[in-house]
Amino acid sequence: MTIATNLGFPRMGRNRELKRAVEGFWAGTVDETAMLETAAAIRKDNWLLQRRLGLNHIPSNDSSLYDQVLDMTAMVGAIPRRYGHEGGIVSLDTYFAMARGTTADGEQDGVPPMEMKKWFDTNYHYLVPEFERNQTFTMFSTKPIDEFLEAKALGIHTRPVLLGPTTYLMLGKMADEPDGDPLALLENLLPAYEDILKRLTEAGADWVQIDEPVLSIDLDDKQRAALGRGIARLAAAGSKLRLIVATYFGDLRDNMKVALALPVSGLHLDLVRGPGELDSVIAKLPEEMSLSLGVVDGRNVWRTDLAPAIRVVSHTVNALGSERVMVGPSCSLLHTPVDLDNERDLDNEMKSWLAFAKQKVEEVATIVAAVDPARETPTQALAANAKAMKSRLSSARIHRAGVAERLAAITPEMLHRASPFPERRKAQAKVIRLPAFPTTTIGSFPQTAEIRKMRAGHARGEVSDRRYQQFLKNEIASAIKFQEKLGLDVLVHGEPERNDMVEYFAERLEGYVSTANGWVQSYGTRMVKPPIIFGDIHRPKPITVTWTKYAQSLTKRPVKGMLTGPVTMLQWSFVRDDQPRSETCRQLALAVRDEVSDLEKAGTRIIQIDEPAMREGLPLRQEDWPDYLAWAVECFRLASSGVADATQVHTHMCYAAYDEIIEAISDLDADVISMESSRSGMDKLRAFEDHPYANDIGPGVYDIHSPRVASTEEIRERLERSLDVLSREQLWVNPDCGLKTRRWDEIEESLKHMVAAAKSMR
Ligand code: GLN
Ligand code: ZN
C-alpha cells in the first residue's frame, strides 16, 4: 500500500490562536495552563484533521511554542551558560529567555536572546544554537516522546519528527570561536539523540522522521561523512525503529551518494525543487529503502497539477512496488497558510487555483487514492483539478494582453543609464545642490499608534477617504517641517500611507491578490501575510506620485521619491509557479520603471528604489548564484535606468553581509546606495578594500534597531572610519534603515547628532 504522508503542519492554529496565547502568556494575561492547553488543542486539531483527510503517516513534534530548532536545543540540553540552567527539564522561563532575552530586574541583569537566522532560503527564522568547545549534551526535554504519547492517547499513531544531528550542528555556531566547527561535537551530541530514540521505541513509535535538509546545500567531504556517521549511529540505536531521512528545499546533486548509502528505511526527496533526480535515485535505491516523493509544493500556495504528479508516483510505484513508495508535500507545510476555507473574499475561480496547508494534505491523499487500486478513485477531485489547471492556463486574468509583448520588447539600452556615473554625477550636481557629506534618511518615519489607528479605521470604512487623505497630508507636512528644522539635506515624505513596503504596492498592482488570513510564521509569534502574485503584473495608474509631489510642494530642499524594488517585491510575495521567477521579476521591474518615470515627470529629482531582499534571494547552491544575480541585477537596472542623467537614483539594502554579492551591488549602478554598517562597527566596509566601489555610498552611521541614541562623536568617528576605504566625495550620511519602528523623540535626538557629525566633517 502506498503511504500518504506529511512532513509537518502549520502550528499557530487556524486563527493564530497560539500566537495570541503565547503573547498573552508573556504579557501575563494568559496563565501557563491556559497557554499550554491552547497549544495542545491545536496539536489535536491538526492530528485529527490529517487523519480525517486520509494521511497514513501523521507528523508529531512538528509543533512548537516558538521554534523547532530551539526545541532541539532544549532536547539535547545545549542551553548557553548565560541562562543559568542547572540541569533537568528546561523550564518555560528559560525557554522563552533563550528566544527573547530578559530585561534587567532589580539585582538581576538582563540577558540577550540567542541569535536569529533565516531557515535555509525561506522567510522563517530559527534561533541559532550556541556551542562551547568539548561541550556535552543531555536530554533536557522529552517533548518528542510527550507528543507521541499525547497523540497515542487520542488514538493516533504519529511519526515523530526530529531535526537531524548534522543539520542541527551545522545551523549552530561556536560561541566565542568564530571559526570553530560545531560538527566536531557530533560524537558528544549523538548520545542525547540515542536516548530520545530509545524512549520513543519504548513509547511504541515505529517510523521516525529525521530531517537533514543540509543534503540540499553545498557540503564538503567532512560534512558528508559526518552526516553518514550520525545517521548510522541513530539507525543502530533504534533497531526496532524505522528511520526516514528527509531532505528538502533542493535536489541532492553531489550529496546523492551519501544519501543513498544511509542505513535507513526511507528517504524523502523534494521533487518540486529537484524533479530531475528521480530516475537516478530509483535506479540506485537500496532494496531496504522506501522512497518518499515530495510532489506537492510545501513552499507555495498553488494547487498541484495532479495529473503529472500522479504520473510521477505511478512511475515510481511501477519501479519499486507500492510498498516502497510514500507521497507527501515537498517539505513541512510550515511555510504555507493553514486553510483556504478561511478566505471569504476570494472568488471561486481564484480559490480553484490556490491550496493552503489543509488543501495540500487533501491533494496528497487524492494522489495516493488515484494510484492505489485498493482505494476508491477520487474521480470528482481529479476532474475539478483538471478544470482548475485548464482555467489557470488560459484565463485572461492571469495572461494579460500586452504584458508579454512589453517583456519581449525590452532592449539592452533599457538596462543602462544614458551616461556613465562620472557624467551623471556632474549633471546631477547642477540641479541638486548638496553640501559635502549630504545627510538623508532611508524613507519611513515613526508609524505611530495614531497612524495605525487611522489606517485601520479607514480600512473598516469608519474614517472617510477625505479625512484619511487629509490626515496623511498633515503627517507629511509635519515630517517635512521636522526634517527642515533638523537641517537634513535630502528629505523624505515619511511613508505614513504605507502599512508595509511590499503590501502597499501589491495592493495597487494588478496581478497581485492579498488574503485575509494567509499568515505564515516568520519567527516566534511573528506572522507575515505575503501577497500572492497570480498573474501578469500591470500598474493601472501612478502609485506614489501624489504623495511625493505634495511633500515636494512644501519645501525647497529635494524630496526623495520612495519605491520598493522588483527583487524585493518578488522575494516577499508568494510567486506564481507557471513561469520562471526571473520573468515575473521583469514584469515587476517594468511596473517600477513606469512609476520611476512618472515620478521624474512630476519633477522628482531623486528616486530611491529599495532592495533589502536582494541578498536573501541567493540560491542555496553557490553554483546557482551567477544566474540569479544576473537576472536580479538586470531587473533592478530595468526598473531604474529609464531616467535622465540628472535624475539621481538611490537604492537601499539593510544588511551588513554584502561581501558575497559586492560585485552585483556595483553592477546595479545606482548613483547612491545606503546600507547597514553600524552594527558591525563599520568593519564590513572592509569589503570595499578589495572591490573598490565607484558610485556614492551612505554606510549607515547608527543602528535604528535599538532605542539607544548615538552621540555626535560616535557618528563622527564612524564617518572617519568609513574614509579609510571610501572617499570624501562619495560619502553620504544616513541611518542604517527606515525609522518606522522608532519613536519621534528617539529619532529627533539621533538625527540631530547625525547632522551635527556631518557638519563637523565638512
Ligand atoms: N524605505 C523603507 C523604510 O524606510 C525601507 C525599509 C527596509 O529597508 N526594509 O522603511
Ligand atoms: Zn533597511
Side-chain angles (χ1 to χ4, degrees), residues 6 185 272 303 329 416 418 425-426 502 611 676:
N6 182 18
L185 299 170
V272 175
R303 246 175 233 271
H416 292 272
R425 169 187 260 163
K426 278 186 222 137
V502 169
E611 285 291 18
E676 190 203 297

Side-chain angles (χ1 to χ4, degrees), residues 725-738:
V725 282
L726 302 167
S727 73
R728 302 176 68 83
E729 292 69 40
Q730 68 184 147
L731 203 58
W732 282 63
V733 181
N734 49 258
D736 265 346
C737 193

Side-chain angles (χ1 to χ4, degrees), residues 442 612 652-655 736-738:
I442 305 304
H652 165 71
M653 299 182 173
C654 39
Y655 39 81
D736 265 346
C737 193

Side-chain angles (χ1 to χ4, degrees), residues 311-538:
R311 277 198 295 278
V312 166
V313 176
S314 300
H315 168 76
T316 313
V317 167
N318 288 340
L320 300 175
S322 60
E323 298 297 322
R324 287 174 69 198
V325 177
M326 304 185 189
V327 177
S330 57
C331 59
S332 165
L333 297 175
L334 176 66
H335 311 289
T336 60
V338 180
D339 187 358
L340 189 64
D341 300 340
N342 261 351
E343 297 299 324
R344 262 149 290 141
D345 298 336
L346 298 180
D347 60 83
N348 284 339
E349 186 182 37
M350 183 66 68
K351 280 188 169 174
S352 79
W353 299 333
L354 296 171
F356 294 175
K358 179 183 161 207
Q359 289 71 33
K360 285 173 188 287
V361 170
E362 282 168 349
E363 290 181 337
V364 167
T366 306
I367 294 169
V368 169
V371 298
D372 189 346
R375 304 188 207 206
E376 196 184 327
T377 310
T379 322
Q380 256 189 339
L382 294 177
N385 182 266
K387 193 174 150 219
M389 290 305 125
K390 216 172 131 203
S391 88
R392 224 186 132 193
L393 215 61
S394 56
S395 164
R397 278 170 90 182
I398 294 182
H399 310 278
R400 195 191 164 87
V403 176
E405 288 75 4
R406 253 196 106 186
L407 235 58
I410 295 170
T411 59
E413 293 75 62
M414 289 168 74
L415 306 175
H416 292 272
R417 299 287 294 272
S419 310
F421 176 69
E423 282 169 47
R424 302 200 306 262
R425 169 187 260 163
K426 278 186 222 137
Q428 289 161 21
K430 280 191 201 135
V431 289
I432 313 166
R433 298 246 155 240
L434 293 173
F437 303 103
T439 53
T440 190
T441 60
I442 305 304
S444 58
F445 277 130
Q447 287 266 334
T448 56
E450 202 195 354
I451 295 184
R452 274 173 292 164
K453 214 175 103 199
M454 285 298 278
R455 186 183 301 131
H458 180 244
R460 281 196 304 267
E462 289 156 16
V463 174
S464 72
D465 284 352
R466 252 196 57 184
R467 211 173 121 219
Y468 184 57
Q469 307 290 325
Q470 193 51 53
F471 169 80
L472 293 175
K473 277 186 161 182
N474 295 345
E475 286 291 316
I476 291 171
S478 74
I480 294 290
K481 226 181 250 151
F482 173 83
Q483 297 171 83
E484 282 194 325
K485 198 176 114 212
L486 286 173
L488 287 157
D489 301 306
V490 172
L491 312 192
V492 295
H493 78 288
E495 305 179 24
E497 78 286 11
R498 304 186 191 176
N499 37 359
D500 171 272
M501 64 186 292
V502 169
E503 197 174 22
Y504 181 76
F505 289 94
E507 282 169 354
R508 285 156 183 81
L509 289 172
E510 282 171 22
Y512 258 112
V513 68
S514 298
T515 62
N517 286 299
W519 298 100
V520 288
Q521 192 175 8
S522 171
Y523 63 87
T525 58
R526 167 137 176 100
M527 307 289 281
V528 293
K529 194 155 63 73
I532 300 171
I533 304 176
F534 69 91
D536 289 342
I537 295 293
H538 170 73

Side-chain angles (χ1 to χ4, degrees), residues 9-13 16 18-19 22 26 62-69 71 95-96 116 118-119 122-127 332-338 517-530 574:
F9 201 80
R11 355 167 136 125
M12 283 294 171
R16 292 177 290 153
L18 187 61
K19 172 189 171 72
V22 171
W26 294 338
D62 55 338
S63 77
S64 182
L65 293 177
Y66 200 94
D67 165 40
Q68 75 272 15
V69 181
D71 292 342
Y95 180 83
F96 286 131
M116 207 159 61
K118 271 176 165 284
W119 175 246
T122 71
N123 274 328
Y124 179 83
H125 302 71
Y126 71 94
L127 290 166
S332 165
L333 297 175
L334 176 66
H335 311 289
T336 60
V338 180
N517 286 299
W519 298 100
V520 288
Q521 192 175 8
S522 171
Y523 63 87
T525 58
R526 167 137 176 100
M527 307 289 281
V528 293
K529 194 155 63 73
F574 283 119

